[in-house]
Amino acid sequence: MTVKACGVDFGTSNSTVGWWRPGQQTLLALEEGKTTLPSVVFFNADEESVAFGRAALAEYLEGYEGRLMRSLKSILGTGLMTGQTEVQGRPLRFLDLLSYFISALKQRAEVSAGRSFEQVVLGRPVFFVDDDAEADRLAERTLGEIARQAGFVDVAFQYEPIAAAFDYESRIQREELVLIVDIGGGTSDFSLLRLSPDRVTKVERLGDILANGGVHIGGTDFDKQLSLRAVMPELGYRTRLRNNAEVPSSYYFNLATWHTINFAYSRKVWSELQGVYADALERDKLDRLFNLISKRAGHWLAIQVEAAKIALSDSDSTLLSLQEIEDGLQHEVLRETFHESIDQLLGNIERTVGGLLQDAQLQAAQVDTLFFTGGSSGVPLLRQRVAAMFPNATVVEGDRYGSIGSGLALDAARRFG
C-alpha cells in the first residue's frame, strides 16, 4: 500500500517527518542521513545564504556573521506571532521565519522519500498556550496556515502524546492503560489512553482517550533555569548597583531564553547597559556581559549550558567553559545546582499529571505503563519524580526523538491512506 500522506513533528528543538510504509523505516532522513533536523535557522550575512539544522549551528559556531534563530516553535501563541525582526538589514516577520523552516522540512522529506506530500498530520502540544483557549486556537490556525503556504493541501492535527501512544501501541501484545509522558523542548504533554493491538487500525479513537493535559514547560525552560542559577551570576546577574538595587534582570532573562537571545543585541540595550555599568559594584562581571553581547555569543553560551545539562544526566558535576567570554574562564556546575534550579518546574509537572488522573477519575495504581518520550525526558530526576507517582506501573523508554513522528505517520496513513 502506497501512503500519500506524511506526519510532521515540528519540535521546539528538533523536527522529524514520518512516512508509513509496511516493513520499512518510518522516519525519513532529513540531514546527513539523520532523521532529526534541529529546529534552527541561520541567516549567513557573509555568504548571503540561509542554512538549517546542524549546518546552521555549524556556520554559527564557525564564526560567520549572521543571525541564528532557534526554538522557533516557541513563537506560536505569543505576541511575537505578529512581530518581526531584522535580518541582514531587512525586516523579517516571525511567521515568515516559521514558513522558511516548515518549507525546508517538507522539501527535505520529499527528496528523501522520492515523492511529493500533499497531505499531512501535524503534531501539536496539548496546549500551545496555558490557560488561554483563544490564543491556543490561534496558534493552531497559524501553524496550519504556515503548512499550507509550504505546499500542503490537506492539513490535520494530532496531539503529540497521542501520536506517541500510537507508536507504542504498534508494538504491544495486550490491552494496557498507558500514561504517555512527552517532555519536549518547549512543552510537557500527557495523555491517558487505553491501548490495544485490536484497535490499531481504527481511525476514531476518542473513546480510548481518557484525559489529556499539558503545561508550557520543556527542555528550553530547564536550560533557562540552569543558566540563571549557575551561569548568569558570573555575568552580573543579581549583583548590586550603588543604590543597592539589583542590576536589571531583563538582559539576563533574554540571554537565557533561546528565542529572545537576539533581543540583547539591540542598540537600545547597549545604551542602557552603559548607564548600568557606571553604577555597578561588580564591574568585572559586567565586563563579561559586554564581551558576550559585543561578540553576539548568546547562542554559543546557550549551547554550552544545554551541553552541561545533558552532561549532568550522567555526572555529579561538569566543567563549563566560558572561554568565549573571558580567556581561561571556566565554571563548575553541580548536578545538585541543576536539580535545585528545576525543582519548581518539576513540581508544576507533577501537579499537571495529578490533575490528569482527577480528570480521568482514576487512581495511580490503575495505570499499567508509563511511556516516556521527548528529548527532555532524558532528565533522570524528572523520570524519577513522575515514576514515583505510579509505583505499580511499568516504565517504558520510547524513542525520545522519533516516537511522535512515527505515530503521526501512522495516523496520517489511517486518515488519508
Side-chain angles (χ1 to χ4, degrees):
M1 183 177 74
T2 302
V3 176
K4 301 178 180 179
C6 67
V8 171
D9 176 20
F10 170 42
T12 302
S13 300
N14 293 279
S15 297
T16 63
V17 180
W19 180 33
W20 188 80
R21 295 158 293 167
Q24 297 187 55
Q25 165 73 25
T26 300
L27 297 181
L28 295 167
L30 300 176
E31 184 181 26
E32 301 173 351
K34 296 180 174 64
T35 57
T36 56
L37 181 69
S39 304
V40 185
V41 181
F42 181 63
F43 296 91
N44 189 321
D46 291 337
E47 304 289 337
E48 296 186 352
S49 60
V50 182
F52 301 91
R54 294 170 187 82
L57 287 169
E59 289 187 17
Y60 169 76
L61 292 173
E62 285 170 14
Y64 284 97
E65 286 294 322
R67 190 76 179 270
L68 185 76
M69 309 291 286
R70 191 174 176 184
S71 293
L72 310 175
K73 187 178 178 180
S74 299
I75 294 169
L76 291 168
T78 73
L80 293 177
M81 285 201 303
T82 58
Q84 62 183 35
T85 186
E86 185 177 296
V87 174
Q88 299 174 7
R90 296 185 296 272
L92 174 69
R93 296 192 313 159
F94 285 111
L95 290 183
D96 292 331
L97 173 65
L98 292 174
S99 184
Y100 283 155
F101 185 79
I102 297 295
S103 295
L105 199 60
K106 180 176 186 290
Q107 290 164 10
R108 288 169 184 242
E110 290 176 338
V111 169
S112 184
R115 55 150 300 128
S116 62
F117 292 112
E118 294 186 349
Q119 293 84 29
V120 64
V121 176
L122 276 166
R124 58 150 293 167
V126 175
F127 300 115
F128 281 105
V129 185
D130 295 340
D131 303 320
D132 190 336
E134 181 53 39
D136 189 79
R137 287 190 290 270
L138 176 60
E140 181 179 285
R141 286 200 302 272
T142 301
L143 183 55
E145 291 168 4
I146 290 169
R148 292 182 183 91
Q149 289 172 7
F152 290 112
V153 177
D154 300 308
V155 179
F157 287 92
Q158 182 59 269
Y159 289 138
E160 289 158 359
I162 293 177
F166 292 158
D167 177 55
Y168 175 60
E169 187 178 49
S170 68
R171 299 187 295 277
I172 63 176
Q173 304 299 317
R174 60 179 179 82
E175 181 175 306
E176 299 178 20
L177 176 57
V178 182
L179 172 62
I180 304 296
V181 182
D182 170 25
I183 313 296
T187 59
S188 294
D189 296 297
F190 313 94
S191 290
L192 265 171
L193 309 92
R194 293 194 184 280
L195 302 180
S196 167
D198 297 330
R199 298 186 177 99
V200 292
T201 59
K202 294 185 177 179
V203 175
E204 179 54 63
R205 300 295 299 274
L206 285 177
D208 296 325
I209 301 169
L210 305 183
N212 289 316
V215 62
H216 211 264
I217 294 172
T220 56
D221 298 289
F222 299 156
D223 295 345
K224 176 179 179 177
Q225 294 307 316
L226 179 59
S227 182
L228 290 171
R229 178 68 67 95
V231 181
M232 291 301 166
E234 299 298 311
L235 279 63
Y237 176 53
R238 308 212 74 171
T239 60
R240 298 284 174 174
L241 303 175
R242 289 176 183 171
N243 63 2
N244 203 39
E246 288 186 356
V247 172
S249 62
S250 59
Y251 312 121
Y252 303 100
F253 275 73
N254 281 338
L255 286 168
T257 306
W258 277 105
H259 63 281
T260 61
I261 289 172
N262 287 307
F263 293 174
Y265 303 149
S266 70
R267 294 186 183 91
K268 179 175 180 291
V269 165
W270 188 261
S271 177
E272 289 174 356
L273 281 171
Q274 305 293 326
V276 172
Y277 187 83
D279 291 329
L281 296 180
E282 298 184 53
R283 291 184 178 180
D284 57 327
K285 293 183 176 179
L286 284 186
D287 285 336
R288 296 168 181 166
L289 178 63
F290 275 103
N291 285 340
L292 177 75
I293 293 174
S294 64
K295 293 181 179 181
R296 293 180 174 249
H299 285 93
W300 174 88
L301 180 59
I303 290 168
Q304 309 312 307
V305 173
E306 182 182 37
K309 175 192 70 176
I310 294 170
L312 291 172
S313 293
D314 300 315
S315 305
D316 291 333
S317 67
T318 188
L319 201 58
L320 193 150
S321 171
L322 300 175
Q323 179 70 27
E324 192 77 8
I325 301 169
E326 181 182 301
D327 287 344
L329 183 63
Q330 295 181 332
H331 184 63
E332 185 181 28
V333 182
L334 303 178
R335 177 188 284 179
E336 181 182 359
T337 301
F338 176 49
H339 287 176
E340 291 171 352
S341 72
I342 65 172
D343 179 71
Q344 184 175 348
L345 298 179
L346 297 185
N348 289 341
I349 288 172
E350 288 170 321
R351 284 188 287 276
T352 302
V353 172
L356 200 73
L357 285 172
Q358 292 181 356
D359 291 343
Q361 298 182 332
L362 292 173
Q363 300 297 316
Q366 295 175 263
V367 176
D368 299 309
T369 307
L370 293 181
F371 183 83
F372 284 95
T373 188
S376 299
S377 68
V379 175
L381 182 63
L382 182 147
R383 292 202 305 272
Q384 292 166 15
R385 287 178 58 166
V386 174
M389 300 175 68
F390 302 89
N392 298 330
T394 299
V395 174
V396 176
E397 298 282 351
D399 182 338
R400 292 181 193 168
Y401 302 101
S403 289
I404 293 172
S406 295
L408 291 171
L410 283 169
D411 198 20
R414 293 167 187 164
R415 294 190 194 215
F416 296 113

